[in-house]
Amino acid sequence: MDNHLADLRELLHHLHATFDHTTPEQWERRTGTRDKDWTLNQAFAHLASVANMLNLSLTCLLHDRPFQIAGIRQRHDLKPWVNAQLEQRAHQNGVTSFHEFLGELQITLALCQQATAAVEARHVDLMVYNRPTNFAESVLFHLSHAGVVHAAQITRPLGLPPLWQRYTPAFRHRQLERFLQHLSVVYWYERGGDQSRILNMLIDGEEGGAWHIHTTPTTSITQVGEHPHPFATLHFNGTNTLFGLFTSQFPIATALQERTLHIDGDTRATLAHLQCFNPT
């Protein structure tokens, strides 16, 4: 939990350093080139709503009560819930959305300091993942969601590189492992069918390493180390490539063509399997 606390503080530092002086015009810039892409304001409104959900799960774990949130009863409810949360915050300006999110992260820090060994052993079902999760995992999701999944989206309207490029190597390495752990709980068993598959994820560089994600019709887990008998091995030339691919900074075809990614195995089957890790 100590690393989680330190990294939440580092993430807050980078958020303040990057966005404290954002102008009203910048808050309303789109995070992509399409009309349907969120504005920077909307992106932070989304981050705030998800952080609020995760903090609710932490509170439920602290008080040993089941998780309940309006609008979510099953995994398929996540996308309409996200849209409803944005609609509820449609009147907010960017500064308000940004500070709502920062406030949620401060709440996370306070909740973490109340956790005991008994609390950390409990599990709660957020209904948006494939299995119940524990206290440390809910904090992990905070750091992965804001610090990786949306870390390039939110800097794009300011013309800046992804937020993860500002991290210290040690923080970036921990974020890499958190993101790969996060992937295991967003895996859809019903999309994966009756196959049991192991993906090796090998990442070069100072903050890289080796992990494998093992999925079955009823389980999924991310573990440290390269598995000797994988379904496929994905070899990335660095953290930036892995994060960039999974956050849609560039298409996988480009990475394969430029050889920043190498797939050892059936490429078509591997890419189809990766679609099972889409959160919605």
Side-chain angles (χ1 to χ4, degrees):
M1 191 61 70
D2 287 345
N3 278 340
H4 283 346
L5 286 167
D7 291 347
L8 281 166
R9 293 187 180 103
E10 181 171 339
L11 180 61
L12 278 163
H13 165 75
H14 291 303
L15 289 165
H16 278 294
T18 306
F19 298 102
D20 272 353
H21 302 293
T22 302
T23 67
E25 184 270 333
Q26 288 172 325
W27 286 120
E28 298 309 316
R29 287 182 188 170
R30 297 212 173 269
T31 57
T33 58
R34 303 168 301 178
D35 289 342
K36 68 177 183 178
D37 289 326
W38 291 342
T39 64
L40 182 58
N41 178 2
Q42 289 173 312
F44 272 106
H46 169 69
L47 290 174
S49 65
V50 172
N52 178 265
M53 173 201 286
L54 293 171
N55 282 340
L56 176 58
S57 75
L58 295 176
T59 302
C60 290
L61 286 163
L62 283 171
H63 299 287
D64 197 17
R65 65 175 188 242
F67 175 85
Q68 292 182 318
I69 191 166
I72 296 181
R73 292 293 176 266
Q74 58 180 338
R75 288 194 71 180
H76 291 282
D77 293 333
L78 179 58
K79 189 170 184 177
W81 179 85
V82 165
N83 292 333
Q85 292 297 306
L86 286 178
E87 184 62 30
Q88 288 178 22
R89 291 168 171 80
H91 66 285
Q92 291 184 177
N93 61 35
V95 173
T96 301
S97 298
F98 177 54
H99 283 281
E100 181 188 1
F101 175 55
L102 296 180
E104 291 293 345
L105 291 186
Q106 292 291 351
I107 291 170
T108 308
L109 284 168
L111 292 171
C112 287
Q113 294 172 50
Q114 300 175 48
T116 64
V119 169
E120 292 181 19
R122 295 170 185 160
H123 287 75
V124 67
D125 188 356
L126 278 73
M127 296 172 285
V128 298
Y129 295 127
N130 62 24
R131 63 178 182 270
T133 53
N134 62 28
F135 194 96
E137 287 173 316
S138 282
V139 182
L140 177 157
F141 302 149
H142 267 295
L143 285 158
S144 175
H145 186 248
V148 177
V149 176
H150 292 280
Q153 179 190 33
I154 58 178
T155 57
R156 195 176 298 119
L158 305 185
L160 297 174
L163 202 63
W164 62 70
Q165 292 189 17
R166 294 172 174 247
Y167 303 161
T168 61
F171 180 32
R172 195 157 48 242
H173 175 79
R174 290 191 293 272
Q175 287 290 81
L176 173 58
E177 182 155 20
R178 289 181 181 115
F179 177 71
L180 294 175
Q181 294 284 354
H182 203 170
L183 281 180
S184 74
V185 298
V186 301
Y187 178 77
W188 289 79
Y189 300 131
E190 50 268 63
R191 295 178 187 172
D194 58 1
Q195 298 292 325
S196 294
R197 289 176 168 169
I198 296 171
L199 287 179
N200 277 334
M201 309 289 277
L202 311 182
I203 301 92
D204 292 339
E206 179 183 3
E207 66 273 6
W211 290 264
H212 63 272
I213 306 174
H214 187 182
T215 58
T216 78
T218 57
T219 61
S220 61
I221 187 171
T222 299
Q223 294 180 302
V224 176
E226 182 177 357
H227 196 280
H229 305 294
F231 164 71
T233 294
L234 284 75
H235 193 153
F236 301 86
N237 74 336
T239 306
N240 195 60
T241 296
L242 184 145
F243 285 166
L245 280 172
F246 279 95
T247 58
S248 302
Q249 298 308 294
F250 44 82
I252 197 164
T254 299
L256 289 169
Q257 183 178 16
E258 295 179 352
R259 302 193 179 190
T260 56
L261 167 66
H262 174 73
I263 297 177
D264 185 7
D266 186 322
T267 298
R268 181 174 294 182
T270 301
L271 297 182
H273 185 57
L274 289 175
Q275 294 303 310
C276 300
F277 295 92
N278 189 320
T280 57

